[in-house]
Amino acid sequence: MTTLDAAPAVVREQSPVDGEPCVLLKLGEVVLKGKNREQFERRLADNVRTAVRPIARVDVIRRHGVFVVRTKDADVPTVDRLAERIGDVMGIVWAHRAWRVGKDLASVERVALELMEGRTGSFAVRSRRRDKRFPMTSTELDRHIGALVAQKYGQPVKLKNPEHTLSIEVDRDEVFVFSGGLPGQGGLPVGMSGRALVLMSGGIDSPVAAYRMMRRGLRVDYLHFSGMPFTGPESIYKAYALVRELDKFQGGSRLFVVPFGKAQQQIKSSGADRLAVIAQRRLMLRTGEVLARRLRGTALITGDALGQVSSQTLANITALDDAVELPILRPLVGMDKIEIMDQARRIRTLSISELPDEDCCTLLAPRRAETRAKIDDLRQIEKRLDVGELADQLAESVQEHRPVYGDAAAS
Ligand code: ATP
Ligand code: MG
């Protein structure tokens, strides 16, 4: 995560100000109203508390459109860690490390001067009042504090694109003063949209697909198919490492692993030939559907992008949808590989995905894969295989893992 306009070290080391360091959160999707908004805020506050539990016990105070995160005996390094961690919680747009001071002008002046000390370059003061009873208007406050800082340190005021922004937010019981902040993920709080199962390979795409759906409020579980017993366990280690990284966005992640090698061999010997890849993907989806129902998930998620590989043509995607009743969500369907890789880098899964492994799909890749799979042909093959029974057996054979963000590498 990048720090925008971070406070200089000199500010962090000293804290003689008569305020309390805290984290001020700006929430996403503010257009939500009524009952939805209530649900959004409640869920988000819970998710914030859970995410930071390893760092500190916090109070999350809900105000109109913002949250204040406070902790007893807060010091600046702890608050920095809290802000950093909260930046991964879905539903937050900005995390500001702020000073919480009394509602009097003298306190605001003191903290403002303190925060701007040692900075060079232009600045602007941006005030807003959530409590309109404060005796000065926002503009008066901007002018007053701006003049004070300019006079003391000689920095020029610049309203458009200043190098530093000093924010002053007047609230019901206190005033928050801060400069800069950490950009959050935006989106909706995890859990608000229900639960779904991600088909998770060791590749680049599926982790990004998981991220994008968590960001729309889904809580996700993960299902990985390994080529075991005909491949080594490397792909499982990768899936584990990926889920552990992605766990920072929701907590409590579960990874289910199915040894898929024998089923793949059955597909191969069924004479599926050019249809083997699609038949295999359909079996993965069917197995996913059985497992999702058991976990009370109501959708499957994959990393398919239209046209990216031969199994992802429109005809083949249609043939995949035909295999299951649950909706298949494909958040990457319209994205280019470059865009997907950029996102993978940002969420820090790319380097894990790029580690070498033996993907189970290479076990039965035919010389030429079908790009226009016919559903009737697939059904013929599946009849010979008794896929319903096979999917049930595979879903029975899952091994469950609980990768936790921040845990030492287990692989
Ligand atoms: P990825 O980068 O996610 O591996 P891909 O470009 O390699 O995707 P495919 O191999 O065709 O594309 O897989 C498409 C989707 O099918 C994946 O995004 C994933 O959701 C699912 N999938 C493929 N292989 C596996 C596997 N071994 N276990 C679980 N899901 C898989
Ligand atoms: Mg793949």
Side-chain angles (χ1 to χ4, degrees), residues 3 82 116 190 250 296 335-336 342-343 346 369 379 410:
T3 307
L82 288 175
M116 296 308 287
V190 164
Q250 66 169 13
R296 299 191 193 292
M335 285 173 78
D336 287 358
D342 283 347
Q343 182 126 66
R346 275 203 300 281
R379 289 193 179 149

Side-chain angles (χ1 to χ4, degrees), residues 198-209 223-227 235 239 258 260 264 277 280-281 284-285 301-305 308-312 320 332 337 340 353 359-361:
V198 179
L199 274 73
M200 182 80 168
S201 69
I204 293 168
D205 304 328
S206 35
V208 176
L223 173 60
H224 173 71
F225 296 89
S226 86
S235 79
V258 171
F260 201 49
Q264 289 180 297
V277 173
Q280 152 176 306
R281 294 283 315 279
M284 285 183 182
L285 290 165
I301 298 169
T302 72
D304 294 312
Q308 196 193 83
V309 292
S310 62
S311 58
Q312 297 172 12
L320 294 175
L332 312 189
K337 194 75 189 185
I340 298 170
S353 296
D359 185 58
C360 74
C361 299

Side-chain angles (χ1 to χ4, degrees), residues 136-183:
M136 288 171 100
T137 67
S138 310
T139 318
E140 283 165 355
L141 206 50
D142 285 350
R143 292 211 179 112
H144 178 79
I145 299 292
L148 196 72
V149 171
Q151 192 188 19
K152 175 128 195 209
Y153 303 124
Q155 287 166 274
V157 173
K158 186 171 168 240
L159 296 184
K160 254 192 194 163
N161 300 322
E163 276 166 69
H164 306 283
T165 308
L166 181 67
S167 302
I168 300 171
E169 302 197 353
V170 179
D171 220 310
R172 207 182 59 201
D173 307 327
E174 69 267 272
V175 180
F176 298 98
V177 185
F178 57 91
S179 182
L182 303 169

